[in-house]
Amino acid sequence: MKPAGTLRQISDFSDLSQGRRLQELLCHGDEPRRVQPSPDGKHLVVLQKNRPPPLPRVVAFQRQGSGGAELDRNWRSPQPALAGLVFPQSPAGCWALGIVWEHGRTELWRFVPAVGWQLLQTLELCQGARARVVSVCSQAASLVWCEERPPLDAHSDVSKCAFRFCVCTRALELGEQGVRLGPMRIVLHNCPEYQVLASPQRVFLVPASGSFAATSRCLLIWHPEQAKLTIAAPSAGFVHSKVLHSSSESDFRKLLLGSVGLLSAFAPLDIHTCAVSGCGALLLVSRKGAVSMLEAGGTQRHIFDLEAGPLAQGDTVEMKTFGSTLACVLAGVLYLVNQNSGRLIEKKILSMKEVHFLTSPGEEDSIQFLTPTGIYSFSFSNPEDSGRPEPRLVEMVFEEACRYYQRRSLSSSKLTVEKLKKGGVFQAPVALTAILQHSLYQKQKPARGLQDTYAKLLSTISLELQSYLSLEILKTCVVGASESEVESYCEELVEQEVSRVLHSDMDKDNLAYLNSVFTSFPKAAWKATRSCLQLQQNGDGLLVARATPEVWKKVLGGPQQEDVGQNGVVPLFELICTSFLRFKPKWLPSFVELTQQYVSTSWPYSSKEGPEGRVPLYKRAMGVLARKNKHSEVDGELELELLLCSKRPKAVLQALHLLIHLKQWQRVVEVAEKFSKLSPLLNKEIFTTLLVEFAQHRELDPYLDTLWPLCPAELSASDILTVVLQHLPCSQQDPVPFSSEGNQLTVGLLKPLLQRVVQRPCVHDEMYSDALQSPTFPPPTPPREH
């Protein structure tokens, strides 16, 4: 059931200091306003930029309590225009309100309980008298701004004027007595105009609407901790990244020099509105109404399309994320969207058009916004549960159950989630959703008692539920982790995901999902594979695997290539072979040998249902090897090992011919000696092949003492002479009694083999040897019984 949203007014401004005045400001005229909550959520700061006459005004309102000096600042001409408001915050939690003017002067204000607002200090950000701040933001305890530095020559060409901006930063040390301003550092110079937006870990640089055409195709992301700049094009993703070791490397034109040709092929940026999300990504709204998210790595992900169609320049879009929910307001319509899935949760028409989103510390998931009539909160309500539900979780359970029952249904009719919920026949998804909601929220609120049947099920699946909860916690850690911690979290997350899929039904969807995991996180997927299969070397250096039979069946018995089609998805066995080939190629033949051992015990007689009944495993592994872009000597050695580890007669003979072609005679003899013991037929084929080589050249002469004992019992002297005579090399000259070349076959070389065959007892004699060696013939007559 889709949850119903409830809009509730939580304040009519009566609990605010000067609440009536705030209401008058919000209701007065149509001039643009900007409302920002303080970091602690206790104050609202309103900035009016263009009130008549065009002079700015800043007013602060206290949400909780009253008392002390108020902050109400307005300025008269010729005071420069305001560039923006910032809230720098120290690591200890102290914060201040910064009012920044275009010429760089900055006032820092602090609120002291029972005293009110106090001016801490007035600072000068810019060093040049002609500099003009066009955009400013605060990143932790630092200020970052983009300033214009007009050229000294008033008649400069257009291209030089377009690159007259620079991005700078200064650190602030907030103390009880005052503020200390650090030295100015230039992040980027000779650049176009940028709008700077800060998240806790990085700063996004978005080109202004009138930027130079060649530079309006990409965004920049500055990572202060690594001193790194990333170039990203939303239409193509990550472009380039560079660590700025010195100020000389901060030249914008040099930074883009190596990417100009690539950027020229990209589409120009289509940005109507941008904002920073709660997870530190950049939210973008295009002029067509498409909402997307630009991640820290430069990749863009589409989330949702607003229904208002093309947006005009004067249209205002307010955006903010609350947990995993993205809230957008456009033309009086509130859109609530799950930013992970892009699913529209709720769409509500508001009675007011001007909306400013607010945040409350400790209640980041609570959707609150300010309007001219008060402060409102939007919450979900479910008629079956007065507490907070988890609608997407319920939907996921029923969607998975629908696919599960559809696969096992004999009916041709399509089973939908709505039919599943209304039918009342399938109780499993109902029970599972009840157990999940009970377990997930029992720490947040008093849990309702479960039915006796559900309680028994809860005790049965407690381990699986605990694993699910730890996985969700891990995903939360990945979202909020720093870049240095993401890799370790991702490895753990991939391992849990691979293990989960290997213990579930290996259908096409799960196989496609594993393909994407192995492609996106190859190193983590390799570690997860080793862990799930429990691969390790024993004391003798041999590869051993202690995986359960269920896991082996998923590895070998899942959808094959003919089942998944040609859409780039490969079977799981091929995926694992690719990982071996990339990270541990020497282990690949041993792994194939292990899989064959499991196949021989699980699918006897090479049945068609087993993996060996279609394409042999060694051929599938060789297919992975053949798809490599570059081949080396190591790959040739791997091909030989794969052929030999299969122990199939045709593969062994193929490997033997390859070794003969490579003239590796020592290995030829070793292979012949080892594999001749597998079967009499293979023994005969191997010996005949080597006898042919012996007749044609003298390379095998040093190994004749090892080769002659391999002669099969059924070969007679005449058979041997026939093979030798048929494969003697053709001589262009008349034969002579004594050749000086030294490479001719002589009777002396062949004599030990012929003597061995002649002296060997006849096969028929061996058949009757037991009877001929009997002490008495015929046997004595048994005594008669009277």
Side-chain angles (χ1 to χ4, degrees), residues 432-731:
L432 183 56
T433 53
I435 290 173
L436 288 176
Q437 289 188 329
H438 168 81
S439 303
L440 292 177
Y441 300 109
Q442 60 182 353
K443 296 181 180 179
Q444 302 177 8
K445 63 180 182 179
R448 297 177 302 174
L450 284 173
Q451 300 179 17
D452 292 340
T453 307
Y454 294 174
K456 293 179 182 179
L457 288 173
L458 177 59
S459 62
T460 304
I461 65 171
S462 58
L463 293 178
E464 288 80 1
L465 187 60
Q466 185 178 358
S467 176
Y468 170 77
L469 290 175
S470 62
L471 182 61
E472 291 302 311
I473 293 173
L474 180 59
K475 290 179 181 178
T476 306
C477 293
V478 172
V479 172
S482 62
E483 292 189 8
S484 59
E485 298 173 332
V486 165
E487 183 176 359
S488 61
Y489 280 132
C490 280
E491 287 183 0
E492 187 178 350
L493 181 58
V494 169
E495 181 176 345
Q496 291 196 24
E497 282 293 276
V498 172
S499 176
R500 179 186 64 82
V501 175
L502 287 179
H503 289 85
S504 59
D505 291 339
M506 187 57 67
D507 54 11
K508 294 181 182 179
D509 294 336
N510 278 335
L511 183 59
Y513 175 61
L514 277 183
N515 272 256
S516 64
V517 169
F518 273 71
T519 303
S520 304
F521 308 98
K523 187 176 180 180
W526 161 246
K527 291 184 177 180
T529 302
R530 289 186 59 180
S531 176
C532 293
L533 295 178
Q534 300 184 46
L535 291 171
Q536 57 185 353
Q537 284 182 308
N538 60 11
D540 299 329
L542 300 176
L543 185 67
V544 294
R546 294 182 175 87
T548 61
E550 290 74 14
V551 172
W552 276 120
K553 287 184 179 179
K554 301 297 170 49
V555 172
L556 302 174
Q560 302 303 310
Q561 195 63 59
E562 59 268 21
D563 302 325
V564 297
Q566 302 296 328
N567 57 353
V569 177
V570 298
L572 181 55
F573 178 76
E574 276 76 0
L575 272 182
I576 296 177
C577 288
T578 304
S579 289
F580 271 99
L581 204 56
R582 181 170 183 175
F583 297 102
K584 206 72 173 178
K586 291 183 179 180
W587 284 9
L588 181 58
S590 301
F591 170 71
V592 175
E593 193 169 3
L594 286 174
T595 56
Q596 290 177 153
Q597 292 174 6
Y598 175 76
V599 168
S600 63
T601 58
S602 301
W603 284 284
Y605 309 113
S606 297
S607 63
K608 291 185 178 181
E609 289 77 10
E612 291 281 285
R614 303 176 181 178
V615 179
L617 293 175
Y618 81 94
K619 285 190 176 181
R620 293 170 62 180
M622 289 177 65
V624 175
L625 183 62
R627 287 193 288 268
K628 280 190 64 177
N629 295 329
K630 297 180 180 179
H631 291 271
S632 60
E633 294 182 3
V634 178
D635 296 332
E637 185 66 26
L638 278 178
E639 183 178 359
L640 281 170
E641 292 294 334
L642 288 172
L643 289 169
L644 295 175
C645 76
S646 69
K647 298 181 181 179
R648 289 175 170 252
K650 290 184 179 180
V652 172
L653 289 174
Q654 184 179 348
L656 192 68
H657 285 290
L658 283 175
L659 290 172
I660 291 173
H661 177 73
L662 296 173
K663 300 184 184 302
Q664 298 183 14
W665 304 110
Q666 177 68 34
R667 289 198 64 189
V668 167
V669 175
E670 292 174 356
V671 169
E673 191 175 15
K674 177 180 179 180
F675 291 94
S676 291
K677 303 173 184 178
L678 293 182
S679 70
L681 183 60
L682 181 59
N683 182 19
K684 182 178 180 181
E685 291 289 340
I686 290 175
F687 185 80
T688 304
T689 301
L690 298 183
L691 192 60
V692 170
E693 295 296 323
F694 167 75
Q696 294 178 347
H697 52 77
R698 308 273 54 81
E699 301 290 347
L700 287 173
D701 289 356
Y703 310 101
L704 295 181
D705 293 339
T706 306
L707 292 183
W708 295 155
L710 302 180
C711 180
E714 61 268 20
L715 278 185
S716 62
S718 60
D719 296 332
I720 294 173
L721 291 174
T722 301
V723 172
V724 170
L725 293 175
Q726 287 178 350
H727 294 88
L728 284 174
C730 298
S731 178

Side-chain angles (χ1 to χ4, degrees), residues 35-46 60-64 86-89 93 95-97 109 111 117 320 357-361:
V35 180
Q36 290 183 254
S38 62
D40 59 4
K42 297 179 180 179
H43 305 270
L44 297 177
V45 182
V46 181
F61 299 90
Q62 189 176 355
R63 291 187 64 179
Q64 300 174 2
V86 291
F87 287 97
Q89 189 172 4
W95 60 272
L97 167 63
W109 292 78
F111 182 82
W117 289 95
K320 195 170 185 61
F357 288 110
L358 306 176
T359 54
S360 298

Side-chain angles (χ1 to χ4, degrees), residues 359-433:
T359 54
S360 298
E363 299 181 5
E364 286 77 8
D365 292 348
S366 176
I367 303 174
Q368 295 184 10
F369 52 86
L370 172 72
T371 71
T373 59
I375 299 177
Y376 291 85
S377 173
F378 191 91
S379 60
F380 297 107
S381 61
N382 194 323
E384 299 177 359
D385 187 4
S386 58
R388 181 184 174 190
E390 183 70 16
R392 183 56 188 159
L393 180 61
V394 175
E395 290 293 324
M396 288 173 62
V397 170
F398 276 95
E399 288 171 2
E400 182 64 28
C402 188
R403 287 195 294 267
Y404 177 84
Y405 291 128
Q406 187 71 59
R407 286 197 302 265
R408 285 155 178 78
S409 176
L410 298 178
S411 174
S412 59
S413 61
K414 182 70 174 178
L415 181 62
T416 62
V417 175
E418 288 73 17
K419 292 180 181 179
L420 197 64
K421 290 180 178 179
K422 294 178 181 178
V425 178
F426 304 101
Q427 292 299 314
V430 178
L432 183 56
T433 53

